[in-house]
């Protein structure tokens, strides 16, 4: 009988978990998809590239989706057992909540391993590809702005004019004029020629060669003419998400992240990112332990909405605390250990306490709170 009950729970859990993943992933992807589709409609982004960018963002979304979907799938499966009176029959047969929890050990282990692969390996790799593709598109758009014989507005609101392409190279130009838009007065740079170069951080720039810079209004006090050998003008900056020296921490592989822990100037950021990745798979068993007591309800659904509300509020509070602790570690305001794992300890204590009370057929919360009744 125990094996049949465990099989029923696993069957319902798998079905609910898959549907939950698709639902939550779809909700989280709607915002990104709407922004990408607006660029497709304006002709700035091909549909094929849009789908590719959305696919590259999926592993990062799944890091959040899997724990949420697993929590609510466990909640719904046990809630249905309470609502259909099957839980009464199961408990009457001598099975406790701890016995039913054993049915979840295999899915907990499987999902925790999958979550670890996502957070530690697949998501950072997808982030690197996403940044490379986004940078390629930005560079292509920036280079497309340079049309010989016409004016173009580039990054920072500056105005660029290129006279003609230099023979022998498609990235070399002649007769360059740039309005740098100085706040204290006119700021103009000119050069006989210039060329497009890639920066070390992946962006691209137009480098003016052997030119002059005119500061101020001619004929007025303070007017200056400066000569330069090279003057760099950014056309496409590196992708967003970088911090601490331009490092994209979410895109770093695990070996690079561990190496950054040895650098004094990067250790705080590396530690916060490492703890952020580790906590997601560790949360899986705690979320299952929390979902079971919250799923308690009467045969007609009494108390079901209260449990769902408490679960949502708990997850929102835990997420906000995670973000706060991660930023605090990176900025040096919070110690590195326990650091983010404070959320794990607090949520684990809450889940263990709630499960212990339901195991003894007591309300999840003390009676004096008057929120849940057995």
């Amino acid at each position: 009988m125990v094996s049949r009950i465990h099989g029923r729970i696993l069957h319902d859990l798998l079905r609910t978990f898959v549907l939950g993943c698709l639902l939550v992933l779809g909700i989280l992807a709607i915002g990104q998809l709407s922004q990408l589709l607006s660029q497709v409609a304006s002709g700035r982004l091909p549909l094929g590239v849009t789908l590719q960018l959305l696919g590259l963002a999926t592993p990062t979304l799944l890091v959040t989706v899997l724990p949420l979907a697993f929590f609510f799938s466990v909640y719904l499966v046990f809630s249905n057992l309470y609502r259909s009176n099957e839980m009464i029959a199961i408990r009457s047969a001598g099975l406790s909540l701890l016995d039913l929890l054993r049915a979840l050990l295999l899915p907990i282990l499987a999902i925790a391993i999958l979550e670890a692969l996502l957070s530690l390996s697949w998501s950072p790799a997808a982030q690197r590809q996403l940044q490379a593709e986004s940078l390629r598109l930005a560079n292509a758009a920036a280079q497309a702005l340079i049309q010989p014989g016409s004016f173009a507005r580039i990054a920072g609101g500056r105005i660029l004019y290129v006279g003609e392409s230099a023979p022998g190279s498609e990235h070399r130009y002649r007769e360059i004029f740039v309005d740098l838009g100085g706040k204290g007065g006119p700021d103009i740079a000119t050069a006989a020629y210039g060329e497009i170069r890639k920066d070390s951080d992946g962006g691209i720039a137009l480098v003016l060669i052997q030119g002059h810079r005119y500061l101020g209004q001619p004929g007025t006090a303070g007017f200056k003419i400066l000569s330069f050998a090279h003057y760099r003008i950014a056309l496409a900056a590196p992708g967003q998400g970088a911090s601490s020296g331009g490092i994209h921490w979410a895109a770093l592989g695990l070996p690079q992240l561990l190496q950054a822990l040895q650098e004094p100037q990067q250790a705080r950021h590396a530690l916060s990112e490492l703890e952020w990745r580790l906590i997601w798979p560790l949360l899986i068993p705690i979320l299952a332990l929390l979902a079971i007591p919250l799923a308690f309800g009467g045969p007609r659904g009494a108390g079901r909405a209260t449990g769902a509300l408490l679960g949502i509020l708990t997850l929102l509070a835990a997420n906000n605390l995670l973000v706060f602790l991660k930023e605090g570690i990176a900025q040096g305001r919070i110690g590195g250990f326990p650091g983010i794992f404070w959320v794990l300890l607090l949520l684990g204590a809450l889940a263990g306490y709630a499960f212990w009370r339901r195991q003894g057929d007591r309300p999840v919360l003390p009676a004096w709170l008057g929120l849940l009744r057995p």
Side-chain angles (χ1 to χ4, degrees):
M1 182 182 69
V2 175
S3 60
R4 292 182 60 184
I5 294 175
H6 285 185
R8 164 73 184 282
I9 292 176
L10 289 177
H11 176 269
D12 293 346
L13 180 67
L14 178 61
R15 181 183 59 185
T16 309
F17 176 69
V18 172
L19 293 176
C21 283
L22 295 176
L23 178 62
V24 178
L25 182 61
I27 293 174
L28 294 179
I30 285 176
Q32 295 192 13
L33 184 60
S34 61
Q35 295 179 2
L36 294 174
L37 288 180
S38 65
Q39 298 186 37
V40 173
S42 63
R44 292 179 294 173
L45 202 60
L47 180 59
V49 175
T50 300
L51 297 178
Q52 180 184 3
L53 294 178
L54 188 60
L56 291 174
T58 299
T60 302
L61 293 176
L62 283 175
V63 172
T64 306
V65 167
L66 290 187
L68 287 176
F70 185 65
F71 171 81
F72 285 108
S73 61
V74 174
Y75 174 86
L76 290 175
V77 167
F78 278 79
S79 178
N80 288 333
L81 291 178
Y82 278 110
R83 186 175 57 175
S84 62
N85 289 329
E86 292 179 271
M87 184 62 75
I88 297 177
I90 292 173
R91 299 298 295 273
S92 300
L95 296 179
S96 65
L97 289 182
L98 189 59
D99 295 322
L100 299 181
L101 181 62
R102 294 191 180 98
L104 303 180
L105 293 181
L106 184 59
I108 286 174
L109 180 61
I111 295 174
I113 292 175
L114 180 59
E115 182 72 14
L117 291 173
L118 278 169
S119 62
L120 294 175
S121 179
W122 297 343
S123 176
Q127 282 291 311
R128 291 192 293 272
Q129 296 182 38
L130 180 62
Q131 290 172 5
E133 183 64 20
S134 301
L135 184 59
R136 184 189 67 81
L137 294 173
N139 289 345
Q143 294 185 46
L145 289 174
I146 302 179
Q147 299 293 333
S150 62
F151 288 88
R153 187 175 295 274
I154 59 176
R158 293 168 292 188
I159 298 176
L160 171 67
Y161 174 84
V162 174
E164 60 180 359
S165 298
S169 175
E170 61 177 343
H171 300 307
R172 198 176 180 92
Y173 303 93
R174 289 178 174 175
E175 301 174 5
I176 300 173
F177 167 92
V178 184
D179 183 357
L180 299 174
K183 296 182 179 180
D187 188 352
I188 307 297
T190 63
Y193 65 95
E195 58 185 28
I196 294 179
R197 298 178 182 176
K198 284 191 175 182
D199 296 332
S200 59
D201 55 13
I204 64 171
L206 177 64
V207 179
L208 308 187
I209 302 174
Q210 300 299 331
H212 299 84
R213 187 173 177 184
Y214 303 89
L215 301 174
Q217 187 72 31
T220 62
F223 175 69
K224 296 180 181 180
I225 301 178
L226 306 177
S227 299
F228 56 80
H230 297 85
Y231 189 83
R232 176 188 173 279
I233 298 175
L235 295 179
Q240 296 181 355
S243 62
S244 182
I247 299 176
H248 298 269
W249 294 103
L252 282 186
L254 187 57
Q256 292 79 15
L257 200 59
L258 294 176
Q259 184 178 0
L261 287 173
Q262 311 302 322
E263 303 292 335
Q265 296 180 347
Q266 302 175 354
R268 295 197 310 272
H269 293 273
L271 182 60
S272 66
E273 179 63 29
L274 181 60
E275 291 186 3
W276 176 267
R277 298 183 189 183
L278 289 174
I279 198 170
W280 293 106
L282 296 176
L283 281 175
I284 298 298
I286 293 178
L287 292 177
L289 193 66
L290 178 64
I292 293 175
L294 290 181
F296 168 75
R300 296 184 179 180
R304 191 179 186 187
T306 305
L309 179 60
L310 285 175
I312 293 173
L313 293 177
T314 301
L315 294 181
L316 286 175
N319 181 74
N320 291 336
L321 185 57
L322 278 173
V323 174
F324 172 77
L325 292 175
K326 181 184 179 183
E327 294 178 352
I329 295 173
Q331 297 171 5
R333 295 184 287 104
I334 298 175
F337 190 82
I340 290 179
F341 296 117
W342 274 117
V343 177
L344 197 69
L345 297 174
L346 294 174
L347 204 58
L350 177 62
Y353 175 75
F355 188 88
W356 171 73
R357 290 186 65 85
R358 282 309 312 155
Q359 174 76 359
D361 290 327
R362 292 184 293 271
V364 173
L365 297 179
W368 58 269
L369 289 176
L371 294 177
L372 292 178
R373 301 294 182 185

